[in-house]
Amino acid sequence: MDAESTGILLAAGAIVAVIGALGGVARRKAPLAWHAHVPWDGLAFLGVAGVLLAAVHLYTLLRTA
């Protein structure tokens, strides 16, 4: 992976993490709505994991450059 694809993964992970967090808040406000059945916690976890992976990879890329 190069720096461009790492940046894309970092941005996508941050967006997914924010969407997952906002979905969790919406689920608590309206527990019987359609969006309460979406696994928001899992989406937030995947977003944070993507951000962590991209941050470590970006650090490695910058350290070797």
Side-chain angles (χ1 to χ4, degrees):
M1 269 189 349
D2 58 346
E4 182 180 350
S5 58
T6 303
I8 292 170
L9 179 62
L10 185 69
I15 290 170
V16 170
V18 168
I19 289 172
L22 292 176
V25 170
R27 179 181 53 206
R28 286 183 203 93
K29 286 186 178 183
L32 298 177
W34 66 269
H35 54 75
H37 303 291
V38 179
W40 297 112
D41 295 333
L43 287 175
F45 175 78
L46 288 177
V48 170
V51 167
L52 181 63
L53 176 77
V56 169
H57 191 265
L58 189 62
Y59 173 73
T60 305
L61 284 175
L62 293 176
R63 188 179 60 168
T64 58

PDB file of all heavy atoms in Angstrom, residues 41-58:
ATOM      1  N   ASP A  41     -22.817  -0.717  16.582  1.00  0.00           N
ATOM      2  CA  ASP A  41     -21.591  -0.924  17.356  1.00  0.00           C
ATOM      3  C   ASP A  41     -20.533  -1.641  16.524  1.00  0.00           C
ATOM      4  O   ASP A  41     -19.343  -1.328  16.608  1.00  0.00           O
ATOM      5  CB  ASP A  41     -21.900  -1.717  18.627  1.00  0.00           C
ATOM      6  CG  ASP A  41     -22.798  -0.954  19.572  1.00  0.00           C
ATOM      7  OD1 ASP A  41     -22.777   0.288  19.542  1.00  0.00           O
ATOM      8  OD2 ASP A  41     -23.516  -1.613  20.353  1.00  0.00           O
ATOM      9  N   GLY A  42     -20.976  -2.593  15.725  1.00  0.00           N
ATOM     10  CA  GLY A  42     -20.042  -3.294  14.849  1.00  0.00           C
ATOM     11  C   GLY A  42     -19.453  -2.384  13.795  1.00  0.00           C
ATOM     12  O   GLY A  42     -18.262  -2.468  13.473  1.00  0.00           O
ATOM     13  N   LEU A  43     -20.275  -1.513  13.237  1.00  0.00           N
ATOM     14  CA  LEU A  43     -19.766  -0.557  12.252  1.00  0.00           C
ATOM     15  C   LEU A  43     -18.765   0.405  12.878  1.00  0.00           C
ATOM     16  O   LEU A  43     -17.736   0.727  12.271  1.00  0.00           O
ATOM     17  CB  LEU A  43     -20.920   0.223  11.629  1.00  0.00           C
ATOM     18  CG  LEU A  43     -21.798  -0.544  10.650  1.00  0.00           C
ATOM     19  CD1 LEU A  43     -22.967   0.333  10.212  1.00  0.00           C
ATOM     20  CD2 LEU A  43     -21.000  -0.985   9.462  1.00  0.00           C
ATOM     21  N   ALA A  44     -19.058   0.857  14.084  1.00  0.00           N
ATOM     22  CA  ALA A  44     -18.121   1.752  14.767  1.00  0.00           C
ATOM     23  C   ALA A  44     -16.806   1.039  15.047  1.00  0.00           C
ATOM     24  O   ALA A  44     -15.728   1.616  14.890  1.00  0.00           O
ATOM     25  CB  ALA A  44     -18.740   2.269  16.059  1.00  0.00           C
ATOM     26  N   PHE A  45     -16.887  -0.233  15.438  1.00  0.00           N
ATOM     27  CA  PHE A  45     -15.664  -0.999  15.695  1.00  0.00           C
ATOM     28  C   PHE A  45     -14.838  -1.160  14.427  1.00  0.00           C
ATOM     29  O   PHE A  45     -13.613  -0.998  14.450  1.00  0.00           O
ATOM     30  CB  PHE A  45     -16.016  -2.376  16.273  1.00  0.00           C
ATOM     31  CG  PHE A  45     -14.825  -3.255  16.443  1.00  0.00           C
ATOM     32  CD1 PHE A  45     -13.968  -3.065  17.518  1.00  0.00           C
ATOM     33  CD2 PHE A  45     -14.545  -4.256  15.543  1.00  0.00           C
ATOM     34  CE1 PHE A  45     -12.851  -3.869  17.678  1.00  0.00           C
ATOM     35  CE2 PHE A  45     -13.442  -5.060  15.694  1.00  0.00           C
ATOM     36  CZ  PHE A  45     -12.590  -4.874  16.765  1.00  0.00           C
ATOM     37  N   LEU A  46     -15.490  -1.489  13.317  1.00  0.00           N
ATOM     38  CA  LEU A  46     -14.756  -1.631  12.059  1.00  0.00           C
ATOM     39  C   LEU A  46     -14.111  -0.318  11.628  1.00  0.00           C
ATOM     40  O   LEU A  46     -12.995  -0.308  11.101  1.00  0.00           O
ATOM     41  CB  LEU A  46     -15.685  -2.137  10.962  1.00  0.00           C
ATOM     42  CG  LEU A  46     -16.112  -3.593  11.062  1.00  0.00           C
ATOM     43  CD1 LEU A  46     -17.095  -3.926   9.955  1.00  0.00           C
ATOM     44  CD2 LEU A  46     -14.917  -4.510  11.017  1.00  0.00           C
ATOM     45  N   GLY A  47     -14.799   0.789  11.861  1.00  0.00           N
ATOM     46  CA  GLY A  47     -14.225   2.084  11.526  1.00  0.00           C
ATOM     47  C   GLY A  47     -12.999   2.405  12.356  1.00  0.00           C
ATOM     48  O   GLY A  47     -11.978   2.860  11.831  1.00  0.00           O
ATOM     49  N   VAL A  48     -13.078   2.142  13.647  1.00  0.00           N
ATOM     50  CA  VAL A  48     -11.924   2.404  14.527  1.00  0.00           C
ATOM     51  C   VAL A  48     -10.766   1.476  14.183  1.00  0.00           C
ATOM     52  O   VAL A  48      -9.600   1.891  14.180  1.00  0.00           O
ATOM     53  CB  VAL A  48     -12.342   2.272  16.011  1.00  0.00           C
ATOM     54  CG1 VAL A  48     -11.138   2.293  16.925  1.00  0.00           C
ATOM     55  CG2 VAL A  48     -13.306   3.376  16.373  1.00  0.00           C
ATOM     56  N   ALA A  49     -11.079   0.224  13.854  1.00  0.00           N
ATOM     57  CA  ALA A  49     -10.019  -0.711  13.464  1.00  0.00           C
ATOM     58  C   ALA A  49      -9.344  -0.269  12.170  1.00  0.00           C
ATOM     59  O   ALA A  49      -8.110  -0.356  12.034  1.00  0.00           O
ATOM     60  CB  ALA A  49     -10.596  -2.113  13.309  1.00  0.00           C
ATOM     61  N   GLY A  50     -10.125   0.239  11.212  1.00  0.00           N
ATOM     62  CA  GLY A  50      -9.545   0.748   9.969  1.00  0.00           C
ATOM     63  C   GLY A  50      -8.673   1.964  10.202  1.00  0.00           C
ATOM     64  O   GLY A  50      -7.606   2.106   9.602  1.00  0.00           O
ATOM     65  N   VAL A  51      -9.109   2.854  11.078  1.00  0.00           N
ATOM     66  CA  VAL A  51      -8.314   4.045  11.396  1.00  0.00           C
ATOM     67  C   VAL A  51      -7.006   3.639  12.073  1.00  0.00           C
ATOM     68  O   VAL A  51      -5.936   4.167  11.751  1.00  0.00           O
ATOM     69  CB  VAL A  51      -9.116   5.009  12.285  1.00  0.00           C
ATOM     70  CG1 VAL A  51      -8.227   6.085  12.879  1.00  0.00           C
ATOM     71  CG2 VAL A  51     -10.231   5.648  11.486  1.00  0.00           C
ATOM     72  N   LEU A  52      -7.084   2.688  12.985  1.00  0.00           N
ATOM     73  CA  LEU A  52      -5.880   2.239  13.673  1.00  0.00           C
ATOM     74  C   LEU A  52      -4.910   1.583  12.703  1.00  0.00           C
ATOM     75  O   LEU A  52      -3.697   1.856  12.739  1.00  0.00           O
ATOM     76  CB  LEU A  52      -6.246   1.274  14.794  1.00  0.00           C
ATOM     77  CG  LEU A  52      -5.098   0.725  15.628  1.00  0.00           C
ATOM     78  CD1 LEU A  52      -4.404   1.864  16.361  1.00  0.00           C
ATOM     79  CD2 LEU A  52      -5.601  -0.309  16.607  1.00  0.00           C
ATOM     80  N   LEU A  53      -5.415   0.727  11.820  1.00  0.00           N
ATOM     81  CA  LEU A  53      -4.561   0.079  10.833  1.00  0.00           C
ATOM     82  C   LEU A  53      -3.899   1.109   9.925  1.00  0.00           C
ATOM     83  O   LEU A  53      -2.688   1.043   9.672  1.00  0.00           O
ATOM     84  CB  LEU A  53      -5.387  -0.897  10.002  1.00  0.00           C
ATOM     85  CG  LEU A  53      -4.654  -1.577   8.853  1.00  0.00           C
ATOM     86  CD1 LEU A  53      -3.768  -2.678   9.398  1.00  0.00           C
ATOM     87  CD2 LEU A  53      -5.628  -2.121   7.857  1.00  0.00           C
ATOM     88  N   ALA A  54      -4.668   2.069   9.449  1.00  0.00           N
ATOM     89  CA  ALA A  54      -4.122   3.089   8.555  1.00  0.00           C
ATOM     90  C   ALA A  54      -3.124   3.989   9.275  1.00  0.00           C
ATOM     91  O   ALA A  54      -2.109   4.381   8.695  1.00  0.00           O
ATOM     92  CB  ALA A  54      -5.252   3.921   7.961  1.00  0.00           C
ATOM     93  N   ALA A  55      -3.393   4.317  10.535  1.00  0.00           N
ATOM     94  CA  ALA A  55      -2.470   5.185  11.276  1.00  0.00           C
ATOM     95  C   ALA A  55      -1.128   4.492  11.500  1.00  0.00           C
ATOM     96  O   ALA A  55      -0.064   5.109  11.336  1.00  0.00           O
ATOM     97  CB  ALA A  55      -3.089   5.583  12.610  1.00  0.00           C
ATOM     98  N   VAL A  56      -1.153   3.219  11.843  1.00  0.00           N
ATOM     99  CA  VAL A  56       0.099   2.483  12.043  1.00  0.00           C
ATOM    100  C   VAL A  56       0.843   2.345  10.724  1.00  0.00           C
ATOM    101  O   VAL A  56       2.068   2.495  10.670  1.00  0.00           O
ATOM    102  CB  VAL A  56      -0.187   1.103  12.671  1.00  0.00           C
ATOM    103  CG1 VAL A  56       1.037   0.225  12.646  1.00  0.00           C
ATOM    104  CG2 VAL A  56      -0.702   1.268  14.086  1.00  0.00           C
ATOM    105  N   HIS A  57       0.115   2.088   9.649  1.00  0.00           N
ATOM    106  CA  HIS A  57       0.767   1.963   8.348  1.00  0.00           C
ATOM    107  C   HIS A  57       1.339   3.295   7.887  1.00  0.00           C
ATOM    108  O   HIS A  57       2.434   3.349   7.328  1.00  0.00           O
ATOM    109  CB  HIS A  57      -0.220   1.433   7.317  1.00  0.00           C
ATOM    110  CG  HIS A  57       0.430   1.033   6.045  1.00  0.00           C
ATOM    111  ND1 HIS A  57       0.521   1.875   4.974  1.00  0.00           N
ATOM    112  CD2 HIS A  57       1.046  -0.127   5.675  1.00  0.00           C
ATOM    113  CE1 HIS A  57       1.161   1.262   4.001  1.00  0.00           C
ATOM    114  NE2 HIS A  57       1.483   0.049   4.397  1.00  0.00           N
ATOM    115  N   LEU A  58       0.618   4.380   8.122  1.00  0.00           N
ATOM    116  CA  LEU A  58       1.124   5.701   7.754  1.00  0.00           C
ATOM    117  C   LEU A  58       2.367   6.056   8.561  1.00  0.00           C
ATOM    118  O   LEU A  58       3.325   6.617   8.028  1.00  0.00           O
ATOM    119  CB  LEU A  58       0.036   6.750   7.957  1.00  0.00           C
ATOM    120  CG  LEU A  58       0.295   8.143   7.426  1.00  0.00           C
ATOM    121  CD1 LEU A  58       0.477   8.102   5.922  1.00  0.00           C
ATOM    122  CD2 LEU A  58      -0.839   9.065   7.783  1.00  0.00           C
TER     123      LEU A  58
END
